[in-house]
Amino acid sequence: MATTTTKVETFVGKRIRRREDPRLITGTATYVEDIQMPGMNYAVIVRSPHAAARIRSIDTKKAEAAPGVVCVFTGKDTKGVGAVPCGIVMPDLRVPQHTILATDRVYFVGHPVAVVVARDRYLASDAADLIEVDYEVLPAVANPEKALAKGAPAVHPQWPDNVAFTYHQDGGDIDKAFAQADVVVKQRIVSQRLVPMAMETRGVVAEWRGADRQLNLYTSTQIPHLVRTLVAGMLGLEENRMRVIAPEVGGGFGSKLNVYAEEALMGYVSMKINKPVKWIESRRENFTCTIHGRGHVDYYEVAAKRDGTILGIKLKLIQDVGAYHQLLTPLIPQLSVLMMPGLYNTPNIRADIVGVFTNCVPTDAYRGAGRPEATHGIERMVDILAAELKMDPAEIRFKNFVNKDNFPYPTATGLMYDSGDYATPLEKALDLVGYHKLRQEQTDLRKQGKYMGIGISTYGEICAIGPSPATPAGGWESATVKIEPSGKVTIMTGACPHGQGEETTFAQIAADELGVGLDDILVIRGDTAIVQYGIGTFGSRATAVGGTALYYALQDLKAKVKKFGAMLLESEDVSLIGGQVIDNKTGNSKTFQEIAGATYRALKLPPNTEPGLMATRFWEPPNFTFPFGAHIVVTDIDNETGQIKIRRYVAVDDCGNILNPLIVDGQIHGGVAQGLGQALWEQAVYDDNGQLVTGELTDYALPRAHMMPWIESQHTCTPSPVNPLGVKGVGEAGTIGCSPAVVNSVVDALSPLGVRHLDMPLTPEKIWKVLATKN
């Protein structure tokens, strides 16, 4: 029988390599595409080539007669399946009926029209080419501002103004703030559409077991439990007859925080043919059919005193919704409004959001989801204000930071910032980069006609999502811990990490609490038949919420272990140390193995005690957490080509207590890569007809490894009082802090030419045109 290692070594706070990496980097992990079943069939989806069109007819006869074809379904066959859900409720929200296959009309390029199922995917693909759809092409609109213009094509005929929703928020007295202002600065700022681009595209395997009335759904998702509830509802299936398994998930970044038509469609097909069916998204489909992120057009106005004190901020936010709402679409711009004060003592705000339907794929959560857009806007405006007042951009930030003695801090948008010390990360970043020396060097270079810029961004974000009243499906998380009869420890978490490293950090937490070794612990997630309940992994909540549920389950379990240990030792004064219960008076001890064995044999139980060593906790957070930090980027601009070279990248982040510095640094680096992508290269571009012209990796410019700068990453630590771990979350930090720092740096470099603002992406072509025009 295996034995539990007795250790007093602690693990939390150490740079421990991720336990999940060996299987991920050696190709031995199991993704949806790796799942094979006897009698498996393969599905290919026929999609619209038009952004807007009526469907006059669909002829499937040739496809049905093609070799190997099992069945073909169109929208008329699937009318009984429920609509793709939108999880947000708002007073004036317009929610179009989002069927899993188009019926009489298509609304974006890639809209699913039919599905072909065959014995193998190549036969299905060949047959899909034989389906003839007669379209009546209609005018389309792909630009949210143009969609709001009078006379624009109506995306949904029942709403000719293309308004999907409106939202208004006031805090303080914005009119008084602007009346008292010495200066007002205004700017239109765009956060362009982005493609989330996970390494693993989406995929679904559905297996209907008719004899058992059981549907097993393997899907690449961040939220298996929510998929179980919502897809079961779409299919009219009892929830307890459905099992959802998320095996390894090769990246999500929010795009897999959703319920997609294909998940219900594959379930429908499998139930109809009573055989397993697999659909794997192509990269082209991933571009055109998985949600996009961002898509903001923001109009900012900032009122300030002559000394740089910010009095108030106005924002008109136009959100490109796309053709439909997905699960959280209307919520994303609201997150931007919540965080529009940034780290600054801004008592007065006014925000107006208008969500706009366009003939494009829907937008929804993408890494940071609303917070990168908010931070980019306010950090650009602070730099614009500093330039207007001829102040140093660092000085104006120090002047407006919320003081560290004022926490918890209520914002004008209704949040309560948990804890913070905003000046320290910026001071540390300035020291690290050698700020004053760089400014002198910049002055010297400008005399030589060279353009070097120094960009600062300070950011705050809303994490650990979140309290249930603020989330559409509950904001709690669950964890179960059991000590097996052998003494080994199994953790089952409702959080469903997909590359964040919680198999390691959760094991670190449990190892320290129980006093056992990391190798004694197994972490299970992503299977609704094993992990009974959960919400999922998004919004930097896995450790802050799921880890806290685990922490409290461990406390319950420790109490039970001590109770059994005391019984076996016939003592009332015991301690749990190093995987043993020790009699504090005699020094006698019992190991986990001895205690677990006695607990499961249950020959003699302490009073009011059940057999077994298992504990389950649901944890409801009382508040969000609010990480923060400061990023500084130094850039050099090539006068001849417009190329931007990042000379220094300094990131000082405060995510509260750090459980594993190696994993935190990895999250920062990955986030910075995505922030750089938005700042410099990436953009989903639709033409006026609604065709995605950046629909392949050959014309959608992702950052590659050789394009990444060296990131000088350091941390400060301000523990959160919201949870006993003191953690805040770090998954989005790099993305949020990066893009404004880069753009501020480039604008700073080009400011001698009179450049005041540039929208992302800052491609060489765009910079070259600026240099050619201004020089």
Side-chain angles (χ1 to χ4, degrees):
M1 178 181 289
T3 59
T4 298
T5 307
T6 301
K7 299 178 80 72
V8 293
E9 180 185 3
T10 59
F11 298 97
V12 168
K14 292 183 177 175
R15 300 178 70 87
I16 294 172
R17 288 181 180 272
R18 293 167 21 127
R19 307 165 75 210
E20 47 270 70
D21 279 352
R23 69 172 187 271
L24 296 176
I25 63 177
T26 58
T28 55
T30 300
Y31 296 85
V32 172
E33 170 66 313
D34 298 317
I35 294 168
Q36 297 295 331
M37 294 180 182
M40 179 86 85
N41 291 272
Y42 297 84
V44 168
I45 297 172
V46 178
R47 299 181 182 276
S48 169
H50 307 294
R54 285 192 188 89
I55 299 174
R56 292 195 184 103
S57 64
I58 305 176
D59 187 343
T60 62
K61 291 187 180 65
K62 292 179 183 176
E64 290 168 347
V69 170
V70 175
C71 59
V72 178
F73 295 110
T74 65
K76 66 180 173 55
D77 302 308
T78 59
K79 283 184 176 177
V81 179
V84 177
C86 172
I88 305 302
V89 177
M90 294 170 64
D92 64 349
L93 183 65
R94 293 168 170 174
V95 182
Q97 183 78 356
H98 187 176
T99 56
I100 62 171
L101 290 175
T103 53
D104 57 350
R105 197 173 172 123
V106 293
Y107 296 91
F108 63 95
V109 172
H111 198 150
V113 172
V115 58
V116 178
V117 182
R119 291 198 305 270
D120 71 43
R121 66 186 63 188
Y122 304 103
L123 292 174
S125 181
D126 289 345
D129 290 340
L130 300 176
I131 291 182
E132 297 174 359
V133 184
D134 183 10
Y135 293 103
E136 177 190 354
V137 179
L138 301 170
V141 61
N143 178 302
E145 292 189 286
K146 291 181 178 177
L148 288 175
K150 189 176 181 180
V155 177
H156 298 280
Q158 65 271 39
W159 300 308
D161 60 5
N162 289 322
V163 173
F165 61 89
T166 59
Y167 177 82
H168 173 81
Q169 184 157 358
D170 264 323
D173 188 340
I174 193 70
D175 293 331
K176 183 179 179 181
F178 273 72
Q180 293 177 341
D182 297 324
V183 60
V184 173
V185 289
K186 304 178 182 180
Q187 184 61 51
R188 176 182 181 272
I189 298 174
V190 177
S191 284
Q192 75 274 31
R193 261 184 182 258
L194 299 175
V195 182
M197 202 59 62
M199 186 176 290
E200 180 203 20
T201 60
R202 289 185 294 126
V204 183
V205 170
E207 179 196 25
W208 173 247
R209 298 185 176 186
D212 301 326
R213 283 188 48 76
Q214 172 75 31
L215 178 62
N216 297 329
L217 196 77
Y218 298 79
T219 180
S220 182
T221 183
Q222 300 171 227
I223 49 170
H225 291 86
L226 295 180
V227 169
R228 178 182 62 174
T229 299
L230 296 171
V231 172
M234 293 169 71
L235 295 172
L237 187 66
E238 304 92 325
E239 189 173 0
N240 58 4
R241 294 291 183 179
M242 186 161 179
R243 175 186 182 187
V244 173
I245 305 105
E248 301 295 353
V249 177
F253 314 121
S255 69
K256 293 172 182 170
L257 163 59
N258 234 302
V259 175
Y260 286 98
E262 292 85 355
E263 289 167 320
L265 180 59
M266 292 307 113
Y268 171 86
V269 170
S270 183
M271 293 171 74
K272 284 291 180 183
I273 65 175
N274 203 22
K275 291 181 179 177
V277 60
K278 176 191 285 189
W279 168 75
I280 299 296
E281 186 185 52
S282 69
R283 183 57 68 183
R284 177 70 180 177
E285 288 178 302
N286 185 249
F287 269 99
T288 57
C289 309
T290 293
I291 65 99
H292 289 174
R294 315 290 189 252
H296 271 214
V297 181
D298 297 331
Y299 289 86
Y300 277 97
E301 296 181 50
V302 174
K305 302 295 284 185
R306 181 62 58 189
D307 66 359
T309 302
I310 296 173
L311 300 175
I313 306 171
K314 293 181 187 176
L315 169 63
K316 178 184 176 184
L317 191 165
I318 298 171
Q319 172 68 54
D320 181 355
V321 168
Y324 290 110
H325 302 290
Q326 278 283 343
L327 193 60
L328 301 172
T329 302
L331 176 66
I332 308 307
Q334 293 180 53
L335 289 171
S336 294
V337 169
L338 287 174
M339 291 308 300
M340 62 182 277
L343 303 185
Y344 308 115
N345 184 13
T346 309
N348 309 296
I349 67 102
R350 176 177 295 164
D352 289 287
I353 303 174
V354 56
V356 185
F357 288 123
T358 58
N359 291 109
C360 305
V361 72
T363 55
D364 204 296
Y366 171 57
R367 198 166 189 172
R371 290 92 86 192
E373 299 93 316
T375 302
H376 190 79
I378 191 61
E379 289 301 290
R380 282 297 304 126
M381 292 308 298
V382 168
D383 261 31
I384 290 170
L385 178 62
E388 180 73 19
L389 297 173
K390 301 188 185 326
M391 290 182 68
D392 186 282
E395 180 189 353
I396 198 168
R397 287 174 168 82
F398 284 122
K399 188 174 191 63
N400 286 284
F401 280 152
V402 175
N403 190 287
K404 66 179 180 180
D405 298 324
N406 292 342
F407 290 91
Y409 174 79
T411 73
T413 54
L415 297 173
M416 184 67 76
Y417 287 177
D418 57 344
S419 60
D421 179 3
Y422 300 154
T424 300
L426 182 54
E427 290 168 349
K428 196 169 183 176
L430 293 171
D431 288 343
L432 191 60
V433 80
Y435 185 67
H436 297 294
K437 187 176 178 181
L438 274 173
R439 284 292 181 202
Q440 183 56 54
E441 181 183 355
Q442 183 183 54
T443 300
D444 296 339
L445 288 172
R446 283 177 176 174
K447 292 176 182 175
Q448 303 169 35
K450 297 180 179 179
Y451 303 110
M452 183 266 273
I454 308 165
I456 299 171
S457 84
T458 55
Y459 73 91
E461 59 166 322
I462 181 171
C463 280
I465 296 178
S468 290
T471 51
W476 46 267
E477 198 48 83
S478 78
T480 295
V481 187
K482 61 179 179 178
I483 299 176
E484 311 287 0
S486 64
K488 299 297 183 183
V489 178
T490 301
I491 295 169
M492 289 163 280
T493 173
C496 187
H498 44 283
Q500 292 88 344
E502 271 78 13
E503 285 185 44
T504 303
T505 51
F506 282 16
Q508 290 177 258
I509 295 169
D512 279 9
E513 290 298 321
L514 297 176
V516 300
L518 290 177
D519 291 339
D520 294 317
I521 301 169
L522 174 68
V523 179
I524 298 174
R525 49 51 180 179
D527 186 339
T528 62
I530 299 175
V531 181
Q532 294 300 308
Y533 289 101
I535 299 297
T537 294
F538 52 90
S540 290
R541 70 187 307 275
T543 300
V545 185
T548 301
L550 168 63
Y551 173 84
Y552 283 118
L554 288 165
Q555 305 315 306
D556 291 350
L557 194 58
K558 285 165 62 178
K560 196 168 184 179
V561 169
K562 289 177 68 175
K563 195 171 186 177
F564 271 99
M567 181 201 73
L568 294 175
L569 291 167
E570 298 181 343
S571 172
E572 295 182 352
D573 183 11
V574 298
S575 298
L576 176 59
I577 301 173
Q580 299 182 78
V581 174
I582 300 171
D583 187 328
N584 291 330
K585 293 181 179 176
T586 66
N588 295 332
S589 63
K590 293 291 181 183
T591 66
F592 266 20
Q593 183 185 2
E594 293 171 312
I595 296 168
T599 305
Y600 285 98
R601 285 194 298 275
L603 299 177
K604 181 181 178 183
L605 299 176
N608 302 316
T609 305
E610 297 174 343
L613 285 177
M614 181 181 294
T616 297
R617 272 295 191 100
F618 285 59
W619 189 65
E620 169 70 28
N623 191 8
F624 305 103
T625 61
F626 297 90
F628 55 92
H631 289 205
I632 297 180
V633 177
V634 183
T635 56
D636 290 307
I637 312 293
D638 187 310
N639 292 9
E640 300 298 325
T641 65
Q643 289 280 358
I644 297 167
K645 179 183 178 183
I646 296 179
R647 187 198 296 189
R648 298 278 300 275
Y649 196 111
V650 172
V652 180
D653 298 275
D654 193 320
C655 57
N657 289 336
I658 294 176
L659 305 186
N660 186 326
L662 193 62
I663 290 177
V664 166
D665 285 346
Q667 288 282 349
I668 295 293
H669 292 180
V672 167
Q674 288 186 282
L676 281 173
Q678 177 169 16
L680 298 179
W681 304 292
E682 294 183 50
Q683 185 171 19
V685 179
Y686 283 89
D687 68 14
D688 289 341
N689 297 316
Q691 295 289 337
L692 182 64
V693 298
T694 53
E696 300 283 357
L697 285 169
T698 51
D699 45 32
Y700 187 89
L702 283 176
R704 271 68 168 179
H706 73 277
M707 299 154 78
M708 286 291 293
W710 182 259
I711 300 167
E712 302 167 59
S713 180
Q714 294 200 12
H715 305 278
T716 59
C717 181
T718 310
S720 173
V722 173
N723 60 70
L725 301 174
V727 298
K728 292 196 166 197
V730 72
E732 290 101 353
T735 307
I736 296 170
C738 177
S739 68
V742 173
V743 175
N744 283 345
S745 181
V746 174
V747 171
D748 179 55
L750 300 177
S751 60
L753 299 177
V755 174
R756 184 176 186 265
H757 174 72
L758 293 169
D759 277 324
M760 302 178 287
L762 304 182
T763 60
E765 178 192 20
K766 182 179 287 185
I767 302 303
W768 180 84
K769 287 181 177 177
V770 170
L771 291 167
T773 303
K774 300 285 186 179
N775 264 322

